[in-house]
Amino acid sequence: LGLYLVAEAMNKQFLKQHFKSANGNLYEAYLGDIDGRLEQDSGDDTSMSDVRRLYAACSIADPAERWGEVNQALGVDRFLSFVAMEMLTSHWDGYAIHTNNYRIYRDPSTDKFVFITHGIDWAFKRTNVLIQPPMKSIVGRAVLSTPEGQKLYKERVGTLFTNFYMVPVITERMERALKKIRTGDLPADDVARIERRAGLLQKRIQLRAENVANQAVLRRQPCHGALCLFWGHLCQRAREVHGLHTKGG
């Protein structure tokens, strides 16, 4: 039959695996933000009042007031991880950069929205994407245009890059998968094509790590105080953990 890839569906079973309750509202977006048309995939309440509540919180002009209200409607901690991973993997066709390929789920146990990434086939295609997301998306702008959100985002990027973006670990996992494919009864041309694409992806993963580390060096130069220490620590950890050669240090 050949080689097939099964994508996990975002349905009730998925929600039960990742949340305490699967009875909340799940929305799907395509090339649009939360103020546009969202397709409701799950949940009994079809009024979309929960989405309007999130949008209203994000629309508050005063940063301090907005930060407080957004934290009532959005799981900010998980959102920061969501955005940081989109940027670390240069997922340019996701929510943070392109307001595309995402789901939002209102978790009944917290009464807050959680963003779920989707359609990551374009990840790592552009390895030079800035680690700082553009102020394009409604929720991203609402969170990251506050001092608290910006500070927490930088800390989250550093934590995820240091502890989870482990280039040797990622490439080793890919090699284990390739080993299984090589032992399968596939045509030689198909195996060779998979090998080439896997090699290209491994190279892009490495290049992205180097690019993020170099951005840390560039940001370190003009900064002062705690922020400078943060970027300096990230750069140093990139050398230690990833074995990267960064510019300027």
Side-chain angles (χ1 to χ4, degrees):
L1 295 177
L3 183 66
Y4 288 81
L5 176 65
V6 179
E8 183 178 20
M10 292 187 186
N11 50 25
K12 284 282 189 178
Q13 182 179 355
F14 173 87
L15 295 175
K16 288 178 181 178
Q17 289 176 337
H18 299 282
F19 298 92
K20 293 181 179 179
S21 172
N23 297 322
N25 295 335
L26 176 67
Y27 301 95
E28 175 181 352
Y30 174 73
L31 285 175
D33 215 322
I34 63 169
D35 62 337
R37 180 180 177 275
L38 298 177
E39 181 178 338
Q40 187 166 345
D41 295 338
S42 181
D44 297 328
D45 182 0
T46 59
S47 68
M48 296 190 69
S49 59
D50 48 4
V51 178
R52 290 196 296 273
R53 176 191 174 208
L54 175 61
Y55 176 69
C58 292
S59 302
I60 297 173
D62 179 70
E65 182 184 355
R66 181 172 69 248
W67 177 253
E69 290 299 315
V70 167
N71 270 273
Q72 296 300 313
L74 174 72
V76 172
D77 186 72
R78 297 180 74 164
F79 179 74
L80 290 167
S81 293
F82 165 83
V83 174
M85 286 307 302
E86 281 202 338
M87 302 311 296
L88 283 171
T89 59
S90 56
H91 179 29
W92 71 270
D93 199 25
Y95 179 74
I97 297 178
H98 204 49
T99 58
N100 194 29
N101 286 318
Y102 68 98
R103 307 283 198 275
I104 55 173
Y105 179 63
R106 187 186 62 78
D107 184 357
S109 66
T110 62
D111 197 28
K112 296 179 181 181
F113 272 108
V114 176
F115 275 69
I116 306 170
T117 195
H118 178 69
I120 58 173
D121 49 311
W122 283 92
F124 298 110
K125 288 292 180 71
R126 300 179 179 179
T127 59
N128 62 343
V129 171
L130 292 177
I131 196 64
Q132 179 68 29
M135 296 294 183
K136 178 179 180 181
S137 66
I138 291 172
V139 183
R141 183 169 60 248
V143 172
L144 297 175
S145 62
T146 65
E148 299 90 344
Q150 194 61 225
K151 177 179 180 294
L152 290 172
Y153 174 74
K154 289 181 171 67
E155 292 174 352
R156 188 59 46 84
V157 167
T159 298
L160 293 175
F161 184 64
T162 299
N163 298 327
F164 296 98
Y165 198 123
M166 311 286 285
V167 174
V169 174
I170 297 171
T171 54
E172 173 58 26
R173 287 178 180 172
M174 293 180 66
E175 284 298 328
R176 290 202 302 267
L178 285 170
K179 186 175 181 179
K180 293 180 180 179
I181 293 173
R182 295 184 191 110
T183 59
D185 189 19
L186 293 174
D189 289 347
D190 288 349
V191 174
R193 183 168 60 253
I194 293 170
E195 295 267 14
R196 287 195 299 271
R197 292 180 177 177
L200 178 60
L201 179 57
Q202 289 174 333
K203 183 176 181 180
R204 286 173 173 166
I205 290 170
Q206 175 74 22
L207 289 174
R208 180 56 179 163
E210 293 175 357
N211 180 268
V212 171
N214 284 326
Q215 288 186 53
V217 174
L218 293 175
R219 286 177 178 271
R220 186 178 51 166
Q221 305 303 329
C223 65
H224 303 281
L227 184 58
C228 187
L229 291 175
F230 163 76
W231 285 111
H233 172 72
L234 176 57
C235 178
Q236 179 61 30
R237 291 295 290 156
R239 298 191 190 98
E240 295 173 355
V241 177
H242 304 285
L244 304 177
H245 298 286
T246 53
K247 298 176 182 178

